[in-house]
């Protein structure tokens, strides 16, 4: 129940430089990001709310404007005022007399984020005003001044504990128009940023100017009261989901030594159904998460939940307190000081349950598909690094074994067709007995799950050669694939 969506992955990548200033998409590995960002960011459950926003009406001091030209744009910004389109928002055109009728959904907004309202008349911007999410955490109903006492709009912001609740409310909710004459006073201005309603405004003074409605919520996740010395840690996916569960639909197999931008590139390329992930990785390197959002939104892939061990395993229950001195780029790694109990093996370990989890996901998704008359099923995404070292990591091999045994659909993501010679070289000498593991016991555990190692080697070669044949051009590749076919067919004949 720790799926993490494409929407959340985009948000994480956009936030990464502020958490890990030395992050380098060309150098930083997944292991670096786990140690320097994922572990520090997952020490507490995040407070998240979804909001239904309605701009009831506006008043404009500009002469010669027509109501039909009125356009309101609602956005979510981070604390650095960077746009986060994956949080929702949108724009709506006034129907008449600068009155709007549409509601706008904002998804999983954090307390420190900001809701921005912008007013346009035709091609001209009349200004913007920002409202801190923490101010409307329990609901907001009032008017916001844009730039002068004669230009403002009346808004309501209704909070919900989940996106599902907010969407359900949008389809059935009743709303009360705010009087356009109820203008805000100067206390709505922030001393640090013009047009920003600050959370530090005195509550009693604010109540005297605005009609503020307190909306009750029905959160299943209550605030945890812990002692000052208690510092629990969670899986990043648990934090990003506000403590709520989310069933994953795709299991990602990847190596921690891979560049993190390549791992994320492979996942997004899978969602976009691209043959290789080099193109997506280039866009990530440029930091253009907005264009990727637009592409993924157009394909309806933003809410597909993936399971990625780096983000979905609780690292605080294992490795967080024992880091190497530095990451791969030479920057020091500080040990985590959380109080979460560590379990590296046995019943309480989270690192040796991948096969049980895959069985559970397959069974649960199949049952849900029957009930909902859908075709959703568990799939495996194999994110192969540039040097194909994934094929030499014992836990990655173990996940391939489990996927084969469960007859899962396997989507192989490779960086580019230019790496085909390296791929072929690796496959020709592939032997799971030579796979590497950080702990010898891990290798013994994985190999014990394989009944016939030679048969598995052939099956894995066959899988890779046929999955990659579309861009591994040349007679040599086709010949190798045909040889695998002949050998596998021969083995089946002997068995029968």
């Amino acid at each position: 129940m720790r799926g993490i969506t494409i929407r959340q992955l985009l948000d994480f990548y956009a936030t990464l430089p502020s958490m890990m200033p030395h992050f380098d998409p060309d150098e930083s590995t997944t292991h670096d990001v786990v140690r320097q960002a994922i572990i520090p960011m997952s020490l507490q459950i995040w407070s998240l709310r979804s909001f239904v926003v309605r701009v009831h009406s506006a008043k404009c001091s500009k002469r010669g404007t027509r109501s039909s030209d009125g356009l309101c744009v609602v956005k979510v910004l981070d604390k650095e005022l960077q746009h986060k389109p994956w949080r929702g928002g949108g724009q709506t055109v006034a129907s008449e007399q600068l009155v709007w009728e549409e509601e706008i959904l904002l998804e999983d907004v954090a307390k420190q984020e900001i809701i921005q309202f912008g007013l346009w008349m035709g091609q001209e911007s009349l200004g913007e005003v920002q409202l801190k999410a923490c101010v409307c955490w329990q609901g907001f109903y009032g008017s916001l001044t844009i730039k002068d006492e004669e230009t403002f709009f009346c808004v309501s912001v209704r909070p919900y504990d989940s996106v599902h609740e907010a969407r359900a409310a949008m389809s059935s909710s009743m709303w009360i128009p705010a009087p356009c004459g109820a203008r805000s006073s100067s206390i709505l201005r922030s001393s640090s940023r013009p047009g920003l309603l600050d959370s530090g405004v005195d509550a009693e003074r604010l109540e005297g100017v605005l009609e503020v409605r307190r909306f009750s919520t029905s959160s299943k996740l209550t605030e945890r009261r812990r002692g000052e010395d208690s510092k629990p840690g969670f899986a990043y996916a648990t934090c990003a989901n506000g403590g709520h569960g989310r069933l994953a639909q795709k299991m990602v197999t990847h190596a921690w030594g891979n560049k993190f931008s390549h791992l994320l590139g492979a996942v997004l390329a899978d969602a976009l159904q691209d043959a290789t992930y080099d193109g997506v990785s280039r866009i990530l390197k440029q930091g253009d998460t907005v264009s990727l959002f637009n592409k993924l939104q157009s394909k309806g892939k933003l809410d597909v939940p993936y399971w990625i061990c780096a983000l979905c395993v609780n690292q605080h229950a294992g490795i967080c307190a024992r880091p190497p001195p530095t990451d791969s780029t030479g920057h020091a790694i500080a040990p985590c000081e959380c109080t979460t109990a560590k379990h590296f093996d046995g019943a309480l370990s989270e690192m040796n349950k991948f096969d049980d989890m895959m069985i559970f996901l397959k069974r649960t998704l199949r049952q849900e598909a029957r009930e909902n008359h859908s075709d959703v099923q568990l799939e495996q995404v194999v994110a192969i690094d540039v040097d194909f070292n994934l094929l030499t990591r014992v836990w990655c091999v173990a996940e391939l074994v489990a996927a084969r045994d469960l007859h899962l659909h396997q989507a192989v993501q490779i960086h580019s067709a230019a790496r085909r010679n390296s791929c072929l070289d690796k496959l020709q000498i592939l032997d799971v007995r030579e796979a590497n593991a950080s702990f010898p016991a891990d290798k013994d555990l994985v190999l014990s799950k394989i009944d016939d190692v030679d048969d598995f080697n052939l099956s894995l070669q066959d899988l890779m050669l046929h999955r990659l044949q579309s861009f591994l051009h040349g007679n040599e590749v086709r010949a190798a694939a045909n040889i695998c076919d002949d050998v596998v067919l021969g083995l089946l004949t002997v068995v029968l």
Side-chain angles (χ1 to χ4, degrees):
M1 298 301 294
R2 293 184 189 163
I4 187 164
T5 65
I6 294 294
R7 189 189 304 272
Q8 292 167 328
L9 290 173
L10 286 172
D11 188 71
F12 174 77
Y13 193 80
T15 307
L16 187 53
S18 63
M19 189 66 199
M20 185 180 172
H22 64 278
F23 173 75
D24 183 344
D26 287 330
E27 298 293 337
S28 298
T29 66
T30 298
H31 181 266
D32 297 339
V33 171
V34 169
R35 295 290 189 178
Q36 303 281 26
I38 292 174
I39 288 174
M41 293 174 71
S42 55
L43 286 168
Q44 61 182 3
I45 301 292
W46 303 352
S47 293
L48 301 172
R49 288 278 167 87
S50 292
F51 297 103
V52 175
V53 176
R54 180 183 288 276
V55 181
H56 298 281
S57 58
K59 184 175 181 180
C60 178
S61 62
K62 185 176 176 61
R63 294 182 179 179
T65 58
R66 297 179 303 171
S67 61
S68 60
D69 293 332
L71 178 69
C72 178
V73 180
V74 182
K75 297 179 179 179
V76 176
L77 312 178
D78 64 17
K79 58 184 179 181
E80 304 300 328
L81 301 186
Q82 299 298 312
H83 183 203
K84 287 189 166 186
W86 43 85
R87 292 285 197 234
Q91 61 186 36
T92 178
V93 179
S95 57
E96 58 181 21
Q97 298 180 349
L98 291 183
V99 175
W100 284 267
E101 297 179 352
E102 295 178 85
E103 292 182 322
I104 295 174
L105 176 65
L106 307 180
E107 302 189 26
D108 290 338
V109 180
K111 269 191 173 182
Q112 69 272 20
E113 293 177 330
I114 296 164
I115 305 172
Q116 176 176 280
F117 300 84
L119 182 61
W120 290 73
M121 288 295 173
Q123 300 298 314
E124 180 183 359
S125 172
L126 300 187
E128 298 162 339
V129 61
Q130 289 96 31
L131 181 66
K132 284 188 174 181
C134 58
V135 173
C136 49
W137 207 246
Q138 300 298 330
F140 181 89
Y141 190 19
S143 60
L144 302 175
T145 298
I146 297 177
K147 61 181 180 179
D148 57 51
E149 292 297 314
E150 299 300 326
T151 303
F152 57 90
F153 32 167
C154 305
V155 303
S156 65
V157 182
R158 303 198 310 274
Y160 297 90
D161 286 315
S162 71
V163 176
H164 301 294
E165 290 180 16
R167 287 175 178 163
M170 288 180 71
S171 64
S172 60
S173 65
M174 298 293 292
W175 59 277
I176 303 173
C180 194
R183 292 174 292 185
S184 59
S185 74
S186 60
I187 68 167
L188 296 181
R189 300 284 188 162
S190 165
S191 58
S192 59
R193 291 191 179 114
L196 177 64
L197 181 55
D198 201 315
S199 61
V201 173
D202 181 82
E204 292 183 0
R205 293 179 63 201
L206 183 62
E207 294 273 355
V209 177
L210 301 178
E211 178 188 356
V212 180
R213 285 185 158 186
R214 301 295 181 182
F215 289 86
S216 61
T217 56
S218 57
S219 174
K220 295 180 181 179
L221 181 69
T222 58
E223 294 293 331
R224 290 171 168 80
R225 295 180 177 268
R226 302 180 184 272
E228 292 183 0
D229 296 332
S230 178
K231 296 180 180 179
F234 306 89
Y236 178 89
T238 302
C239 299
N241 285 310
H244 299 284
R246 188 189 298 272
L247 195 67
Q249 296 175 6
K250 297 199 176 191
M251 164 92 175
V252 181
T253 293
H254 66 104
W256 280 30
N258 191 14
K259 295 180 179 65
F260 182 76
S261 62
H262 285 185
L263 165 62
L264 188 56
V267 174
L268 300 185
D270 173 74
L272 291 169
Q273 298 182 318
D274 290 350
T276 60
Y277 64 81
D278 53 336
V280 175
S281 294
R282 280 195 298 272
I283 299 175
L284 287 172
K285 181 180 176 179
Q286 297 164 0
D288 190 3
T289 49
V290 174
S291 68
L292 286 172
F293 163 79
N294 291 331
K295 291 181 179 181
L296 290 157
Q297 184 182 46
S298 68
K299 289 184 174 290
K301 298 294 186 178
L302 286 172
D303 295 312
V304 177
Y306 287 71
W307 199 95
I308 305 171
C309 64
L311 294 154
C312 302
V313 165
N314 184 358
Q315 308 301 338
H316 298 279
I319 67 169
C320 74
R322 304 194 310 190
T326 63
D327 62 22
S328 67
T329 60
H331 289 79
I333 303 175
C336 179
E337 297 181 353
C338 76
T339 57
T340 304
K342 316 301 179 191
H343 302 282
F344 293 92
D345 53 30
L348 297 179
S349 172
E350 292 195 6
M351 296 179 285
N352 59 2
K353 305 294 190 300
F354 65 92
D355 44 358
D356 292 328
M357 185 193 70
M358 292 167 75
I359 292 171
F360 172 82
L361 285 174
K362 179 180 179 180
R363 181 175 64 244
T364 305
L365 288 171
R366 182 169 54 190
Q367 179 63 32
E368 287 192 356
R370 289 172 180 168
E371 294 174 356
N372 301 327
H373 304 288
S374 72
D375 57 355
V376 175
Q377 59 182 333
L378 180 62
E379 299 179 14
Q380 183 186 42
V381 179
V382 186
I384 300 181
D385 53 291
V386 171
D387 296 322
F388 295 87
N389 289 323
L390 175 144
L391 300 176
T392 68
R393 299 300 302 172
V394 72
W395 283 114
C396 297
V397 170
E399 291 174 8
L400 292 170
V401 172
R404 183 195 67 166
D405 292 345
L406 289 172
H407 306 288
L408 300 184
H409 172 75
Q410 294 170 299
V412 177
Q413 278 292 334
I414 191 171
H415 179 263
S416 64
R419 306 300 302 177
R420 56 179 174 263
N421 292 333
S422 176
C423 175
L424 190 57
D425 291 343
K426 288 279 187 182
L427 289 175
Q428 288 176 336
I429 61 172
L430 179 64
D431 189 339
V432 295
R433 285 167 291 214
E434 303 299 322
N436 302 315
S438 300
F439 302 99
D442 290 347
K443 183 173 180 178
D444 295 338
L445 174 64
V446 171
L447 291 177
S448 70
K449 297 175 180 290
I450 304 175
D451 296 328
D452 187 326
V453 174
D454 291 327
D455 174 59
F456 175 75
N457 286 338
L458 283 170
S459 298
L460 187 56
Q461 288 171 336
D462 184 59
L463 165 71
M464 293 299 170
L465 286 168
H466 283 85
R467 287 280 190 272
L468 307 178
Q469 191 172 355
S470 60
F471 54 86
L472 294 180
H473 306 295
N475 294 329
E476 184 179 6
V477 176
R478 282 190 288 274
N482 290 335
I483 290 172
C484 272
D485 283 343
D486 292 342
V487 173
V488 172
L489 181 60
L491 289 171
L492 289 173
T493 302
V494 170
V495 170
L496 292 174

